[in-house]
Amino acid sequence: MKKLPRVLIVEDEAAIAELIAVNLRHNGFAPVWASDGEAAQRELDAVLPDVILLDWMLPGQSGVALAKRWRADARTKGVPILMLTARSDEPDKVAGLDAGADDYITKPFSTQELLARMRAVLRRRAPEQVADSVTMGELVLDGATHRVSYQGQSLKLGPTEFKLLHYLMKHAERVHSRGQLLDKVWGDHVFIEERTVDVHVKRLRESLGDAGAMVETVRGAGYRLTTQSVRA
Ligand code: CA
């Protein structure tokens, strides 16, 4: 029998957790519920889930703090995190993505939307292999060690920015629309807003420091990675 995808639901409100769990069970997932960060950590230590649904507002450690912690941990850093948030303002969404969440969904959400996003996050796990290395001018990305450096200086990139940079470097000097980037880097873009691409491009530029200027916005078309613009 095929193993059902295991979903760790970290949510302090029992009624919401139960509703999500019932819907997931009906749709071929194996949900596990943890009501706070400590319980979630115990679950993670025992069995690694395929995806984590993480509530923003939790007693004790917040969802954002937990996402940061799990992203920094070698054991959990590869597990996709979908943040559940009741807040809809943009700065909070960005903070969630900054913490390492793969996506966010704003409460209240429909079951269909949740399922679509969960499937997207799961499919997105390995859309493109990033085991090889790419060099572009003085920018070097090593797929095997997940390291990026510019002019010999090591740079720190989040998992999505790393995949995004890898794709842009492999297809340099070409303009990619937001939709194309969602397809190639995220693997699926059902229900994912194109603005998500902008958020990650902004983060990528910031992470790249001096090399950030290589990521060009092409008005009305999308983004391009180029060596042309770094010539001082
Ligand atoms: Ca909550």
PDB file of all heavy atoms in Angstrom, residues 11-13 55 57-58 107, ligand 1:
ATOM      1  N   GLU A  11      -1.346  23.637  15.610  1.00  0.00           N
ATOM      2  CA  GLU A  11      -2.486  24.565  15.758  1.00  0.00           C
ATOM      3  C   GLU A  11      -3.035  24.416  17.171  1.00  0.00           C
ATOM      4  O   GLU A  11      -3.295  23.304  17.622  1.00  0.00           O
ATOM      5  CB  GLU A  11      -3.543  24.200  14.704  1.00  0.00           C
ATOM      6  CG  GLU A  11      -4.927  24.777  14.893  1.00  0.00           C
ATOM      7  CD  GLU A  11      -4.960  26.280  14.772  1.00  0.00           C
ATOM      8  OE1 GLU A  11      -4.932  26.790  13.628  1.00  0.00           O
ATOM      9  OE2 GLU A  11      -5.014  26.959  15.816  1.00  0.00           O
ATOM     10  N   ASP A  12      -3.162  25.544  17.894  1.00  0.00           N
ATOM     11  CA  ASP A  12      -3.625  25.457  19.278  1.00  0.00           C
ATOM     12  C   ASP A  12      -5.144  25.377  19.404  1.00  0.00           C
ATOM     13  O   ASP A  12      -5.656  24.944  20.431  1.00  0.00           O
ATOM     14  CB  ASP A  12      -3.102  26.645  20.103  1.00  0.00           C
ATOM     15  CG  ASP A  12      -3.508  27.979  19.502  1.00  0.00           C
ATOM     16  OD1 ASP A  12      -3.341  28.141  18.278  1.00  0.00           O
ATOM     17  OD2 ASP A  12      -3.994  28.845  20.243  1.00  0.00           O
ATOM     18  N   GLU A  13      -5.858  25.788  18.365  1.00  0.00           N
ATOM     19  CA  GLU A  13      -7.312  25.712  18.446  1.00  0.00           C
ATOM     20  C   GLU A  13      -7.792  24.341  17.980  1.00  0.00           C
ATOM     21  O   GLU A  13      -7.712  24.012  16.789  1.00  0.00           O
ATOM     22  CB  GLU A  13      -7.955  26.815  17.610  1.00  0.00           C
ATOM     23  CG  GLU A  13      -7.841  28.175  18.292  1.00  0.00           C
ATOM     24  CD  GLU A  13      -8.083  29.320  17.338  1.00  0.00           C
ATOM     25  OE1 GLU A  13      -9.250  29.598  17.062  1.00  0.00           O
ATOM     26  OE2 GLU A  13      -7.094  29.898  16.848  1.00  0.00           O
ATOM     27  N   ASP A  55       0.491  27.049  12.390  1.00  0.00           N
ATOM     28  CA  ASP A  55      -0.284  28.230  12.754  1.00  0.00           C
ATOM     29  C   ASP A  55       0.658  29.353  13.187  1.00  0.00           C
ATOM     30  O   ASP A  55       1.705  29.117  13.777  1.00  0.00           O
ATOM     31  CB  ASP A  55      -1.250  27.882  13.899  1.00  0.00           C
ATOM     32  CG  ASP A  55      -2.201  29.016  14.204  1.00  0.00           C
ATOM     33  OD1 ASP A  55      -2.510  29.808  13.294  1.00  0.00           O
ATOM     34  OD2 ASP A  55      -2.657  29.110  15.360  1.00  0.00           O
ATOM     35  N   MET A  57      -0.189  32.145  15.207  1.00  0.00           N
ATOM     36  CA  MET A  57      -0.381  32.510  16.616  1.00  0.00           C
ATOM     37  C   MET A  57      -0.506  31.257  17.466  1.00  0.00           C
ATOM     38  O   MET A  57      -1.499  30.546  17.399  1.00  0.00           O
ATOM     39  CB  MET A  57      -1.646  33.350  16.767  1.00  0.00           C
ATOM     40  CG  MET A  57      -1.614  34.659  15.994  1.00  0.00           C
ATOM     41  SD  MET A  57      -0.374  35.815  16.604  1.00  0.00           S
ATOM     42  CE  MET A  57      -1.194  36.394  18.093  1.00  0.00           C
ATOM     43  N   LEU A  58       0.523  30.996  18.255  1.00  0.00           N
ATOM     44  CA  LEU A  58       0.528  29.812  19.113  1.00  0.00           C
ATOM     45  C   LEU A  58       0.933  30.231  20.526  1.00  0.00           C
ATOM     46  O   LEU A  58       1.672  31.192  20.692  1.00  0.00           O
ATOM     47  CB  LEU A  58       1.562  28.801  18.597  1.00  0.00           C
ATOM     48  CG  LEU A  58       1.277  28.064  17.297  1.00  0.00           C
ATOM     49  CD1 LEU A  58       2.549  27.370  16.818  1.00  0.00           C
ATOM     50  CD2 LEU A  58       0.160  27.048  17.476  1.00  0.00           C
ATOM     51  N   LYS A 107      -6.381  32.532   7.038  1.00  0.00           N
ATOM     52  CA  LYS A 107      -7.663  32.057   7.575  1.00  0.00           C
ATOM     53  C   LYS A 107      -8.720  33.152   7.409  1.00  0.00           C
ATOM     54  O   LYS A 107      -8.378  34.319   7.594  1.00  0.00           O
ATOM     55  CB  LYS A 107      -7.524  31.755   9.073  1.00  0.00           C
ATOM     56  CG  LYS A 107      -6.616  30.607   9.421  1.00  0.00           C
ATOM     57  CD  LYS A 107      -6.698  30.427  10.934  1.00  0.00           C
ATOM     58  CE  LYS A 107      -5.527  29.637  11.478  1.00  0.00           C
ATOM     59  NZ  LYS A 107      -5.513  29.627  12.946  1.00  0.00           N
TER      60      LYS A 107
HETATM   61 CA    CA B   1      -3.731  29.946  16.950  1.00  0.00          CA
END
